[in-house]
Amino acid sequence: MEALKGVRILDMTHVQAGPTCSQLLAWMGADVIKFENPAGDATRGQLRDVPNADSLYFTMLNCNKRSITVNMKNPEGKAVFVDLLKKCDIIMENFGPGVLDRFGFTWEKIHEINPKIVMGSIKGFGSSGPYADFKAYENVAQAMGGAMSTTGVPDGPPFVTGAQIGDSGTGLHLAIGLLAALRQAEQSGQGQYVEVAMMDGVMNLCRVKFRDHQRLTRGDLPEYSVPTYKGMGDVPRAGNDSGGGQLGNAIHCKPHGANDWLYIVVQEAVWDALAKRIGPEVHIPDLATDARFSTIGERRKHQQLMWTLINKFAENYTKRELMAILNPLDVPCGPIMSTEDLATDEHVRGRDMWVELDHPQRGKWYNVGMPIKLSASPAKIERSPTLGEHTDEVLKEVLGLSDADIASKRTAGAFSLPPKKK
Ligand SMILES: CC(C)(COP(=O)(O)OP(=O)(O)OC[C@H]1O[C@@H](n2cnc3c(N)ncnc32)[C@H](O)[C@@H]1OP(=O)(O)O)[C@@H](O)C(=O)NCCC(=O)NCCS
């Protein structure tokens, strides 16, 4: 049985942050009803690669959901919303600040309608504080949560990371909060409001940088390859430094193209074996006993030279060859994998992390698979719904409406937007 079988979610989320969360919950077996503006989630039409087909932006974030369109600005539409609220365990949204309140549905009102329902909200900055009224997108959250100021090299601009820590990262945080609140609701009969601010989520993911922020009040950061000093205040951008207790960096390999790099962690325990292997080829046969590298403290002091030597060794090998040399020595390392590398990787395919799907509008396409593997209920990945594909099905199955009821609500404009005034 699927882990979340029987859990019904009224999913008002759009774009990326919320849909990431509801897709994961759908993959764990929840019945996720994507409650869409009749105009559709804006991402259906964004970055389209196939004319008139739902974009990959949408399809990759909305698998295993049912789509129903309801106009929340129409009284009949609102009545359908209220009826669905009564039949769901979770409601979730990531509208801009105040949108749901303007529809007339504050958390207090929703709680009154269904005291057991758990409500999840994502906002850029939460519902309190000076930033509460602001909208946010991924890179705004990366900028304001500490990620950008600590990513890049010191004399270059701050960088965003390709991993969507602001959107998808916040979706993950929300999923954890919703499951905890659901468990509590099952025991107490009372739902609660679960709020995750994107800025807070990014700060949480930058936790180690705030560790370093406080260490700087006492001294420099010897593991950083860039200059740091006591009291400098801001944690600097440190390129590809490991950011942990062990030294690490990206090493450029043959044939020195954009992704011909191997990330290597020079773990304390492996230095001896690593030094014995590379020493002779970089003309320092006694590297393993060289005083400049004899302890981790010494290696931190002389890390620029250490990385130069390892880079010199790497000149003769591709990233895969270097990996094959280092793995038997137990050196933690990994090639920088391009999207193409990953899409064709045997390990990735074997773990169902690049999944082929079919879609009525776009034909064959791929989604990144479910990264959380439950042994008793593995995810079965199914395509995303077309806009409003399940409107009638949900109204009949969940609300018990008849064809005549549905037709009357449809005529009243519950499921569509009024024509634009000319
Ligand atoms: C992402 C974001 C910036 C997009 O802004 P936006 O496109 O202006 O969308 P909003 O959420 O503010 O507004 C949605 C609009 O659709 C309307 N709408 C949504 N669902 C509707 C429905 N079922 N029926 C009728 N109207 C609907 C809302 O009423 C609102 O219009 P209004 O402002 O006239 O009331 C904003 O939603 C946001 O800040 N969200 C929170 C943070 C977040 O999740 N960001 C990451 C997204 S990946």
Side-chain angles (χ1 to χ4, degrees):
M1 192 180 94
E2 295 151 304
L4 294 180
K5 192 173 173 61
V7 173
R8 190 180 289 137
I9 300 179
L10 190 54
D11 176 18
M12 301 180 94
T13 68
H14 66 154
V15 204
Q16 184 184 165
T20 302
C21 172
S22 50
Q23 179 168 265
L24 283 175
L25 300 176
W27 282 343
M28 292 188 202
D31 175 14
V32 176
I33 300 171
K34 188 169 174 86
F35 185 99
E36 280 187 87
N37 182 338
D41 185 325
T43 59
R44 284 186 185 269
Q46 280 174 359
L47 312 178
R48 266 201 175 120
D49 58 324
V50 177
N52 304 318
D54 283 338
S55 71
L56 288 164
Y57 197 177
F58 179 86
T59 61
M60 292 184 77
L61 289 159
N62 289 285
C63 280
N64 295 53
K65 304 179 187 177
R66 301 200 273 179
S67 165
I68 162 169
T69 57
V70 178
N71 182 359
M72 284 294 281
K73 292 178 178 162
N74 171 289
E76 291 281 345
K78 278 189 187 173
V80 168
F81 171 73
V82 169
D83 290 344
L84 281 171
L85 262 187
K86 293 177 186 160
K87 300 277 186 184
C88 288
D89 305 288
I90 292 175
I91 171 174
M92 50 193 290
E93 60 91 24
N94 66 323
F95 292 127
V99 171
L100 212 52
D101 295 2
R102 289 201 289 281
F103 288 145
F105 294 99
T106 56
W107 158 239
E108 290 70 26
K109 177 82 181 162
I110 287 170
H111 188 56
E112 192 185 305
I113 295 168
N114 180 351
K116 201 177 166 190
I117 203 164
V118 166
M119 176 163 176
S121 278
I122 289 175
K123 295 284 167 270
F125 309 98
S127 54
S128 58
Y131 308 145
D133 290 338
F134 304 154
K135 290 180 176 177
Y137 280 107
E138 170 69 44
N139 294 342
V140 175
Q142 286 199 27
M144 291 185 69
M148 282 187 73
S149 76
T150 53
T151 306
V153 290
D155 46 0
F159 274 128
V160 294
T161 159
Q164 304 284 284
I165 59 174
D167 282 339
S168 290
T170 306
L172 293 177
H173 285 92
L174 185 67
I176 294 165
L178 288 176
L179 294 177
L182 189 65
R183 162 114 171 115
Q184 194 171 352
E186 276 161 10
Q187 291 179 337
S188 68
Q190 285 295 311
Q192 60 187 301
Y193 182 64
V194 181
E195 177 183 276
V196 185
M198 294 166 70
M199 183 179 178
D200 299 352
V202 173
M203 274 189 80
N204 183 37
L205 297 175
C206 291
R207 188 168 294 264
V208 297
K209 296 297 178 184
F210 294 98
R211 170 201 68 194
D212 295 348
H213 178 78
Q214 295 176 85
R215 287 171 64 219
L216 275 173
T217 61
R218 299 187 203 284
D220 67 351
L221 308 175
E223 78 280 15
Y224 275 58
S225 63
V226 304
T228 63
Y229 54 88
K230 182 176 174 177
M232 83 184 288
D234 297 338
V235 172
R237 299 192 264 288
N240 288 316
D241 284 356
S242 84
Q246 312 288 343
L247 290 170
N249 225 312
I251 304 297
H252 214 178
C253 300
K254 222 174 64 176
H256 303 103
N259 287 312
D260 294 318
W261 297 77
L262 186 79
Y263 199 91
I264 298 180
V265 179
V266 180
Q267 200 189 7
E268 173 87 85
V270 302
W271 171 249
D272 189 58
L274 180 64
K276 282 183 178 145
R277 179 64 183 84
I278 65 174
E281 282 188 44
V282 296
H283 311 298
I284 308 183
D286 296 333
L287 190 61
T289 51
D290 191 311
R292 289 169 298 178
F293 308 107
S294 57
T295 64
I296 189 162
E298 291 301 318
R299 287 196 291 282
R300 281 183 186 135
K301 272 191 228 152
H302 300 105
Q303 62 175 293
Q304 297 297 3
L305 177 58
M306 184 184 78
W307 296 127
T308 304
L309 294 173
I310 297 175
N311 267 295
K312 182 147 186 52
F313 178 81
E315 277 172 9
N316 300 322
Y317 303 101
T318 65
K319 61 184 177 183
R320 290 287 181 178
E321 287 166 351
L322 188 55
M323 188 184 179
I325 291 171
L326 298 184
N327 280 157
L329 303 178
D330 224 12
V331 176
C333 64
I336 278 51
M337 305 273 272
S338 69
T339 50
E340 176 65 11
D341 289 339
L342 289 162
T344 53
D345 188 82
E346 189 191 351
H347 180 91
V348 170
R349 291 290 175 106
R351 291 186 57 77
D352 291 331
M353 285 308 295
W354 188 240
V355 183
E356 185 177 302
L357 290 158
D358 209 349
H359 188 278
Q361 297 166 341
R362 60 180 306 113
K364 296 235 179 297
W365 60 289
Y366 290 87
N367 205 354
V368 176
M370 168 58 150
I372 305 164
K373 312 285 185 193
L374 275 67
S375 65
S377 45
K380 285 193 210 91
I381 298 187
E382 286 158 15
R383 72 163 171 87
S384 60
T386 55
L387 180 62
E389 182 176 347
H390 305 98
T391 302
D392 287 22
E393 178 186 300
V394 168
L395 295 172
K396 285 181 190 172
E397 184 198 304
V398 180
L399 299 185
L401 296 188
S402 65
D403 285 332
D405 293 333
I406 295 172
S408 137
K409 287 182 189 305
R410 184 160 278 132
T411 310
F415 313 124
S416 56
L417 293 177
K420 281 201 177 122
K421 288 189 187 117
K422 295 207 173 132

